[in-house]
Amino acid sequence: MHGKISSINSRTGLAALKTSEDSFSVFEMMGTAIEVGQEISGDLESKGVITVKNLSRNLDMEIYILETRCNSIRANELLQWHSNGF
């Protein structure tokens, strides 16, 4: 599955991506910097730690997926909720 990074919360290291299925996955970046608009490929509907391919930078990276199959409102809530320390 492919997705495109749609938003990043740099304070918490969380990001959301819009999948090719028109849903969103929210994940924690694990050491690799990403940018809005970059394309990602991998099993974007699995929760937990997975290895994905950053197609824009041609590199593998590990991410921790917190939530899958969200709509844009829920994805933004998760990004905001975690930035408030909850």
Side-chain angles (χ1 to χ4, degrees), residues 28-84:
E28 179 180 352
M29 298 173 280
M30 298 179 66
T32 303
I34 59 169
E35 297 175 9
V36 170
Q38 289 183 333
E39 293 188 41
I40 306 295
S41 178
D43 187 4
L44 303 175
E45 293 187 342
S46 291
K47 291 184 180 179
V49 177
I50 64 167
T51 300
V52 296
K53 180 84 167 182
N54 183 326
L55 300 173
S56 301
R57 295 181 59 197
N58 194 32
L59 61 87
D60 291 334
M61 56 189 236
E62 284 193 332
I63 61 174
Y64 181 85
I65 297 183
L66 302 167
E67 190 74 42
T68 63
R69 298 183 183 215
C70 302
N71 62 29
S72 62
I73 294 169
R74 178 67 178 144
N76 286 327
E77 285 174 349
L78 287 167
L79 291 177
Q80 184 61 38
W81 182 70
H82 283 282
S83 71
N84 289 332

Side-chain angles (χ1 to χ4, degrees), residues 7-10 12-16 26-29 66 78-79 82:
S7 57
I8 298 171
N9 183 332
S10 58
T12 62
L14 296 177
V26 176
F27 65 93
E28 179 180 352
M29 298 173 280
L66 302 167
L78 287 167
L79 291 177
H82 283 282

